[in-house]
Amino acid sequence: MSTVPGFPYRLIATDLDGTLLRSDETISRRTRDALAAATAAGAAHIVVTGRAVPWTRHILNDLGYRGLAVCGQGAQLYHAGEGRLLTSVTLDRQLAGLALAKIEAEVGPLYLAASRDGLDGDVLVGPGYAVQGTLPATPFTDAADLWTAPLNKLYIQHPTLGDDELAEIATRAAGGFVTVVVAGAGIVELLPLGLSKATGLSLAARRLGLKAADTLAFGDMPNDIPMFGWAARGVAMANAHEELKAIADEVTSSNEEDGIAVVLERLLP
C-alpha cells in the first residue's frame, strides 16, 4: 500500500447518513477536525453516499467541501468545487418497470418513490411512501409520472414487510434486472444492475491517481458492503447493520460518538 508521511492511507471514504452525519444531520467539531488533520497529512477525503446530488449538496457546502463526491449509490460522480456532474448512470426504465411488476407479483402493491437524474433532479414520492427525515420531495399520484424523465433509482416500501425481508424478496424476484440495496431504515432501493458505491468510488479514486490499497472506508449499512470489499480497510460504525459489521475489518464508536474521529485520531501521528 502506498502511503503519505504520517498517515497510513491516501484516501478516506465516508458514507454520510449514520456515519459522518449525526442524527440531526450535523457533523461534530471533533470529526471535522480529525478529517482536516488527515487531509493536512496528505490524505484525500471523498464522501460516498446513497443520496443523489440534490440531497447531498447542502452538506458538502456546509463542510466547505471542494473535491469529488460519489452520490446516488455510485450513480453520480460530482465535483463540488465546480458544481458539476462528471458522470451519471441512469436506471433503465423498462427494466425497472419489469422489476417492479415481478416484486409486486410476490408481495402485493408497493409504496414508491424515485430519484430523477441531474444536479437538480426531484425526488418523487407516491402515496403511502414515508420519506425519512426532512429532505425535500415532490408528491405524485399517477405512477406514470415516475417514467417521464431519466431516473437514478427507485425507492420501495411495503405496508407490512421490514426492510431486510423486502430486499431479500425483491432480489430473488428481480435481481436479474436491478440491483437491490438496503440503504437505511425504511430505505430499500432499486438501482441499475451491477451499480454500487464501489463502482463510483473506484472511478473517483482513479481520477485522483489512487487505488483500493490506498483506501480507508467508513459506513453503516448493507449498501456499504461493496465499498468495504473494494477498500483496503472497512470500518463499521457501532450503530451499523449487522450484515456490515460481519464483514468489517473494525467496528468503531457510533456516528453520535465521533466514530470516524476515534479511528483517524488513532492513525494520525
Side-chain angles (χ1 to χ4, degrees):
M1 178 178 69
S2 52
T3 61
V4 294
F7 194 77
Y9 297 93
R10 298 182 66 200
L11 180 60
I12 302 165
T14 63
D15 173 49
L16 283 183
D17 297 281
T19 303
L20 183 62
L21 298 182
R22 296 177 290 192
S23 58
D24 62 358
E25 296 198 353
T26 64
I27 303 164
S28 75
R29 173 49 55 191
R30 181 183 176 188
T31 295
R32 289 172 185 262
D33 288 347
L35 282 168
T39 54
H45 172 221
I46 289 186
V47 166
V48 185
T49 178
R51 298 181 184 220
V53 170
W55 277 7
T56 307
R57 196 162 37 205
H58 66 287
I59 296 166
L60 302 180
N61 291 341
D62 179 58
L63 273 173
Y65 189 99
R66 307 291 293 170
L68 301 178
V70 177
C71 301
Q73 305 292 10
Q76 298 173 316
L77 184 58
Y78 174 64
H79 194 302
E82 298 177 359
R84 66 188 181 97
L85 277 174
L86 302 180
T87 63
S88 187
V89 178
T90 56
L91 185 63
D92 185 304
R93 283 170 278 175
Q94 184 173 359
L95 287 180
L98 182 58
L100 277 179
K102 287 185 171 295
I103 298 166
E104 289 189 325
E106 295 287 332
V107 301
L110 296 166
Y111 302 143
L112 302 176
S115 175
R116 282 183 168 165
D117 188 38
L119 286 174
D120 300 303
D122 291 333
V123 174
L124 306 178
V125 175
Y129 189 92
V131 177
Q132 308 302 307
T134 58
L135 294 166
T138 301
F140 73 88
T141 54
D142 185 349
D145 292 342
L146 285 177
W147 315 111
T148 58
L151 304 175
N152 295 126
K153 68 175 80 172
L154 290 174
Y155 301 89
I156 60 173
Q157 292 176 347
H158 190 271
T160 60
L161 295 175
D163 301 334
D164 292 339
E165 187 177 3
L166 177 58
E168 181 181 350
I169 295 170
T171 299
R172 189 169 63 244
F177 304 99
V178 293
T179 291
V180 183
V181 297
V182 177
I187 306 174
V188 179
E189 301 179 358
L190 308 185
L191 308 173
L193 188 63
L195 183 73
S196 74
K197 286 187 174 184
T199 313
L201 179 56
S202 63
L203 182 61
R206 192 157 59 245
R207 284 177 175 262
L208 297 175
L210 302 175
K211 302 176 181 178
D214 301 316
T215 306
L216 172 66
F218 293 87
D220 75 309
M221 292 301 292
N223 62 319
D224 294 313
I225 290 174
M227 178 169 70
F228 278 26
W230 183 84
R233 187 169 184 83
V235 181
M237 314 305 287
N239 50 286
H241 193 287
E242 291 303 320
E243 283 187 31
L244 188 68
K245 287 182 179 178
I247 61 96
D249 297 299
E250 177 183 349
V251 177
T252 185
S253 304
S254 74
N255 61 321
E256 303 289 348
E257 298 171 324
D258 299 302
I260 290 175
V262 168
V263 174
L264 296 183
E265 288 166 358
R266 186 186 75 231
L267 295 172
L268 286 162

